Amino acid sequence: MARIDGRKNDELRPIEIIPDINKFAEGSCLIRCGNTHVLCTASVEDRTPPHVKEGCGWVTAEYSMLPRANRERSRRDIAKLKLSPRSAEIQRLIGRALRACVDMEKLGERTITIDCDVLQGDGGTRTASVTGGFVALSLACWKLVQAGVLPEMPLRTCVAAVSAGIVGDEALLDLCYEEDSSAQVDLNCVMTGEGELIELQGTGEGRPFTIEEQRTLVDLCAKGIREIQTIQKRVLGG
């Protein structure tokens, strides 16, 4: 099956990560995955939520889509006086993914909030947010080390994410909107730098799928994530 943008089945969309895009945030980047563009900023506060153990830090995330990030204008969450269920679910995913790579004791009693604002959405906004969010988080932590606030980097590993799906009975990596909207199966995958899974979100949109199909999709994601992590490391100077 020929893909809409001419890519191979196991090929990522073009990815660009521009670091330090915001002059005020402790860490920031603009990530472009094809036509999906997400602004990620990291903000550091010297306090933690009540549930956090004494001496430990916390990492959390917020996610939002700008009104014209999609083909039609959507209302801002603030206009509805509550966070949309989709935004709430995605920002919890981003927070879980990024906390998995942080040693909270080394971070100390401070909170890092990762804000992911979708400027333009064309599929894979949550996975782009995780990937860009990690870059923003890393830059913020490095700034704390450079300032002497932290004696060492509190990051255990790197984190990246990508989607895969079954469209027309073919397994495809990194779905764009048109592919995602017609996918029979959709799977989002978050992994560490060691290739360990942090989260899998797999859904039979058009039909159930087999364990073998799931393995094929996870293998596709693993390939894509290795390539994404190479880009992350290059951006971060690793």
Side-chain angles (χ1 to χ4, degrees):
M1 182 184 72
R3 301 187 72 172
I4 189 169
D5 50 10
R7 287 182 288 145
K8 297 176 182 177
N9 287 11
D10 64 349
E11 187 177 353
L12 292 168
R13 290 175 289 180
I15 296 176
E16 181 182 20
I17 301 176
I18 305 171
D20 303 316
I21 198 76
N22 183 300
K23 68 179 288 186
F24 301 112
E26 284 80 5
S28 67
C29 74
L30 174 64
I31 180 168
R32 294 173 176 154
C33 301
N35 288 318
T36 289
H37 304 166
V38 185
L39 174 65
C40 302
T41 58
S43 303
V44 181
E45 298 176 278
D46 291 325
R47 59 188 177 89
T48 57
H51 71 272
V52 175
K53 186 173 68 173
E54 184 177 349
C56 293
W58 187 246
V59 174
T60 188
E62 294 191 9
Y63 168 96
S64 182
M65 297 190 74
L66 295 187
R68 279 318 305 264
N70 281 321
R71 286 148 182 77
E72 296 180 0
R73 184 185 186 276
S74 59
R75 295 178 65 194
R76 298 179 190 269
D77 285 333
I78 189 65
K80 296 174 282 189
L81 300 180
K82 64 178 181 178
L83 195 63
S84 74
R86 179 179 181 274
S87 294
E89 185 264 325
I90 291 175
Q91 69 183 34
R92 286 195 293 269
L93 165 67
I94 300 167
R96 287 193 302 270
L98 297 180
R99 283 192 293 274
C101 72
V102 179
D103 185 321
M104 296 301 175
E105 291 187 358
K106 290 183 179 179
L107 180 60
E109 293 185 358
R110 53 187 55 85
T111 297
I112 301 181
T113 301
I114 309 298
D115 285 292
C116 300
D117 292 291
V118 179
L119 309 181
Q120 184 172 284
D122 189 51
T125 62
R126 73 185 66 199
T127 53
S129 295
V130 170
T131 298
F134 173 77
V135 171
L137 173 64
S138 297
L139 292 170
C141 290
W142 179 238
K143 186 171 287 188
L144 292 174
V145 172
Q146 287 181 309
V149 176
L150 296 178
E152 60 180 316
M153 285 287 280
L155 302 182
R156 297 192 183 101
T157 184
C158 58
V159 171
V162 76
S163 70
I166 297 176
V167 182
D169 289 323
E170 290 196 39
L172 307 178
L173 176 64
D174 193 15
L175 305 184
C176 66
Y177 173 79
E178 287 81 4
E179 292 169 336
D180 186 51
S181 62
S182 61
Q184 297 158 295
V185 179
D186 182 32
L187 184 139
N188 297 299
C189 181
V190 185
M191 285 184 171
T192 68
E194 293 73 37
E196 296 176 320
L197 290 167
I198 295 174
E199 185 140 358
L200 279 179
Q201 295 181 336
T203 306
E205 301 280 1
R207 63 165 173 82
F209 58 105
T210 66
I211 295 296
E212 288 72 22
E213 287 175 322
Q214 177 183 277
R215 288 175 181 147
T216 297
L217 294 176
V218 172
D219 287 342
L220 271 178
C221 288
K223 175 186 180 294
I225 286 173
R226 286 193 296 271
E227 296 172 10
I228 292 169
Q229 287 169 342
T230 299
I231 297 171
Q232 287 176 318
K233 290 174 183 175
R234 183 167 66 242
V235 169
L236 293 169

